Amino acid sequence: MSFQLTLDGEEHDIAIIRRRPHLVLRIDGIEHEFSELGGPSDGRHELKSGKHHIDFIRATDDERQIIRIGARSFEVGRIDPFSEGLEGSGNQDAVCAPMPGTVVSIQCKPGDTVVRGTPLVTIESMKLQIVLPAMREGTVAEIRRAECDTFEKDEIIVVLEPEKEKA
Amino acid sequence: MPETGAVRYLGVPEAEWLRFENSLTSGQKITVDFDPMLAKLVAHGPDRDAAIDRSITALTELALLGVKTNIDYLARLIDHDAFRTAQLHTGFISEHKDDLAPSVLGEAERAQVLAAAFLGFRETRDLIIGTPEPHAAIGGWRN
């Protein structure tokens, strides 16, 4: 599973590769192994990676982590795949996965005009294939997964252009 | 620029030559009603250089998280050669602007920051700690 964090305005990918015997994370494509993780709480902790002992201080503030390492403080945010970019819009703009699964095939592309019921994506979950249709008339804005990608329940697979406001 | 926020973590170094003048408490909200000067750090030394060195030590050990401060900037500023040699004037900051900018974050350091943060978010932490064997050792297999 991979996650997106933000630091200094840039996005970074983190994936959990392995948990035992030590945690291995792939950060922006490079694997790092950690033999010591520190505690989860706010306060002073220590990370150990290879020969490096890294003292750091953590503080949690709303949705961000504030990390102080080496006399510098950083704010790290997390991009939530369940709600990114959809504040304020109706739930008909996003086609969400009803359960965890895999994308089998994509039947649309950005820019396509669709009506209610147009098949957008075929997914497979627990050996069951289903088609996710458009919930309303509109235009496909963004397809967030490719064939063979996996997703969790409620993750957004396809986004439609927001509906124009009614006068 | 001054910013609002809250004091999420406060760690103050202690030394006989150091005084931290403040009334901050952990959890305190820093609102627009605050004076931008949140606290004063006062360091003594037998001479100017020693006082500067001690001030830098104190500033780098001071941890005030949750609201943006100029703590790290001040440490770089007083370490600058021109400050140490007392070449001071009102145009100091604009003259040495480039020297006073923070150094670019190295790739290894950036990975450490991201890892530390990743381990702090509850959702990702739960995934790491909460996964039982044998799944934890298997790695990226899907159910």
Side-chain angles (χ1 to χ4, degrees):
Chain A
M1 286 188 69
S2 78
F3 302 86
Q4 277 73 49
L5 300 188
T6 58
L7 173 61
D8 291 342
E10 288 182 353
E11 286 182 24
H12 299 274
D13 287 313
I14 304 198
I16 302 171
I17 303 301
R18 210 161 44 250
R19 296 170 184 80
R20 304 278 189 275
H22 293 139
L23 178 68
V24 176
L25 297 178
R26 188 175 60 228
I27 302 173
D28 291 335
I30 299 176
E31 290 192 6
H32 301 262
E33 181 167 338
F34 297 93
S35 53
E36 181 67 52
L37 306 182
S41 59
D42 286 1
R44 294 181 186 269
H45 300 286
E46 192 187 7
L47 271 182
K48 272 195 213 150
S49 180
K51 296 201 191 82
H52 299 283
H53 286 234
I54 302 135
D55 291 313
F56 70 96
I57 306 175
R58 169 188 294 123
T60 307
D61 188 348
D62 294 334
E63 297 307 314
R64 60 193 174 132
Q65 290 278 309
I66 304 166
I67 303 291
R68 185 166 176 81
I69 287 181
R72 288 179 63 176
S73 299
F74 303 92
E75 284 180 20
V76 181
R78 188 169 92 86
I79 296 178
D80 183 350
F82 302 150
S83 65
E84 185 196 356
L86 285 190
E87 285 84 34
S89 58
N91 56 11
Q92 294 203 328
D93 286 346
V95 178
C96 299
M99 56 188 128
T102 314
V103 176
V104 174
S105 61
I106 300 177
Q107 283 96 299
C108 65
K109 57 186 188 306
D112 282 354
T113 302
V114 299
V115 297
R116 188 179 155 87
T118 303
L120 299 178
V121 181
T122 301
I123 64 169
E124 186 226 289
S125 233
M126 305 174 209
K127 305 201 194 320
L128 179 71
Q129 277 196 11
I130 59 174
V131 174
L132 300 183
M135 300 305 291
R136 61 167 175 81
E137 200 173 22
T139 310
V140 176
E142 188 189 349
I143 302 171
R144 291 195 176 175
R145 291 289 186 278
E147 285 188 17
C148 301
D149 279 356
T150 58
F151 47 81
E152 297 300 298
K153 180 173 184 298
D154 294 334
E155 278 195 32
I156 299 162
I157 311 296
V158 177
V159 184
L160 300 184
E161 299 281 359
E163 290 191 85
K164 291 196 178 41
E165 285 185 359
K166 298 189 172 34
Chain B
M1 295 297 294
E3 280 198 13
T4 56
V7 177
R8 299 294 175 190
Y9 179 88
L10 180 60
V12 182
E14 287 180 4
E16 54 176 9
W17 39 260
L18 186 63
R19 208 167 69 236
F20 185 60
E21 294 176 0
N22 78 104
S23 58
L24 298 173
T25 53
S26 193
Q28 180 170 30
K29 286 193 172 39
I30 308 293
T31 66
V32 292
D33 298 320
F34 272 67
D35 188 282
M37 185 171 79
L38 300 178
K40 270 201 305 214
L41 198 62
V42 184
H44 297 276
D47 56 49
R48 183 182 173 79
D49 260 336
I52 290 174
D53 288 337
R54 286 176 173 181
S55 297
I56 293 171
T57 300
L59 286 166
T60 50
E61 286 181 12
L62 173 64
L64 205 178
L65 305 186
V67 56
K68 284 208 176 72
T69 69
N70 61 355
I71 294 170
D72 300 326
Y73 177 81
L74 290 173
R76 292 193 296 274
L77 191 152
I78 65 176
D79 200 20
H80 195 284
D81 283 342
F83 184 92
R84 285 188 178 268
T85 53
Q87 296 172 47
L88 306 173
H89 56 89
T90 53
F92 185 97
I93 286 180
S94 35
E95 181 183 335
H96 302 291
K97 192 157 60 79
D98 292 337
D99 295 339
L100 298 176
S103 55
V104 175
L105 194 60
E107 199 180 310
E109 259 196 303
R110 187 180 309 117
Q112 291 165 7
V113 172
L114 291 169
F118 189 75
L119 293 165
F121 287 109
R122 191 171 49 80
E123 299 87 344
T124 45
R125 179 120 194 153
D126 285 349
L127 278 174
I128 293 167
I129 306 300
T131 306
E133 295 290 358
H135 303 285
I138 286 175
W141 283 65
R142 290 186 289 116
N143 289 341

